[in-house]
Amino acid sequence: MKKLFAEFFGTFWLVFGGCGSAVFAAGVPDIGIGLLGVALAFGLTVVTMAYAVGHISGGHFNPAVSFGLLAGGRFSAKDLVPYIIAQVLGAAAAAGCLYIILNGAGAFSAEGPGAFATNFYDMPGYNGRSYSMGAAFLAEFLLTAFFLIIIMGATDKWANGKFAGLAIGLGLTLIHLISIPITNTSVNPARSTSQALFVGGVALQQLWLFWVAPILGGIAGGLIYKFLLQRDGGEEIAN
């Protein structure tokens, strides 16, 4: 149960900090943190929770990461479903808190692409471009695959484990810098689900992509590291 609580609170913090920075602070006149700030916020949530509770649960906070670590031989299949449930519940609880806070100022809106930090495709994004379903799928797949390679490499027993959380958090920051203009960045089905539940409509209709692409990408990344990169005897430090 402690592992599941760690996943719940870790995913809660990821959504509350990452999506919260997007909905509260990204567009504030004069002091708005913008794309760089939101990307850094997502990275910081992972860094802080990796060191806070990563030693308890392994610090997944993301169903795609759990699938990827399972494929890479770093995670037990019997824990997969409980972990995913804890992650989705933690993300949904965070989104609920964000919703309540926004409503306290009468500021919640479900209109337009990216409303309430939802993910999207086939709609004009922040740079005015509309990326197709195929482009969005490829971006989410590749970025999640590389995220798993970063995670598995940073937590390998041959790596310096003291810096694993920092490497993983900076990796997530870079991922957001690349893909916020494309899909508003998912690479995490729990994060996508939590926001779409409150917005509904197109966000829910498109949610399938932000489950399928990250999970397939995570599995690919896990397999690539296990069979092409991992040294003999490589293993996760915090399991």
Side-chain angles (χ1 to χ4, degrees):
M1 288 302 298
K2 287 184 178 179
K3 290 183 178 181
L4 298 183
F5 278 124
E7 287 297 304
F8 176 93
F9 287 114
T11 314
F12 181 102
W13 188 237
L14 185 150
V15 170
F16 191 82
C19 294
S21 70
V23 300
F24 295 130
V28 177
D30 301 325
I31 61 169
I33 61 175
L35 181 148
L36 179 59
V38 173
L40 185 58
F42 272 99
L44 289 173
T45 63
V46 170
V47 170
T48 51
M49 282 294 108
Y51 289 113
V53 301
H55 59 285
I56 300 171
S57 67
H60 300 192
F61 319 141
N62 180 341
V65 170
S66 297
F67 270 99
L69 293 177
L70 176 63
R74 304 279 188 88
F75 186 55
S76 172
K78 66 181 177 62
D79 291 328
L80 180 63
V81 172
Y83 263 53
I84 291 174
I85 292 173
Q87 292 156 0
V88 172
L89 289 177
C97 291
L98 294 176
Y99 176 81
I100 292 170
I101 294 169
L102 272 175
N103 261 347
F108 176 79
S109 173
E111 299 298 323
F116 199 49
T118 49
N119 302 114
F120 58 88
Y121 57 87
D122 277 338
M123 291 186 284
Y126 303 112
N127 56 11
R129 297 174 183 165
S130 179
Y131 291 88
S132 68
M133 180 181 70
F137 194 102
L138 181 59
E140 290 289 330
F141 176 89
L142 288 174
L143 291 170
T144 314
F146 273 91
F147 191 39
L148 261 294
I149 292 172
I150 293 167
I151 291 170
M152 293 188 68
T155 58
D156 197 296
K157 81 170 189 177
W158 300 107
N160 189 334
K162 293 180 180 180
F163 296 101
L166 187 60
I168 294 165
L170 289 175
L172 189 62
T173 298
L174 176 58
I175 285 168
H176 279 78
L177 289 174
I178 296 168
S179 59
I180 284 176
I182 303 172
T183 61
N184 218 19
T185 309
S186 172
V187 302
N188 185 336
R191 165 263 188 275
S192 298
T193 301
S194 63
Q195 307 309 114
L197 288 174
F198 287 87
V199 172
V202 174
L204 278 177
Q205 294 169 20
Q206 295 186 346
L207 183 60
W208 69 270
L209 186 145
F210 302 108
W211 274 85
V212 176
I215 287 175
L216 291 179
I219 292 171
L223 293 174
I224 288 170
Y225 191 85
K226 180 179 181 179
F227 292 108
L228 298 181
L229 300 172
Q230 184 169 275
R231 292 173 60 182
D232 291 340
E235 60 187 23
E236 187 179 14
I237 291 173
N239 190 357

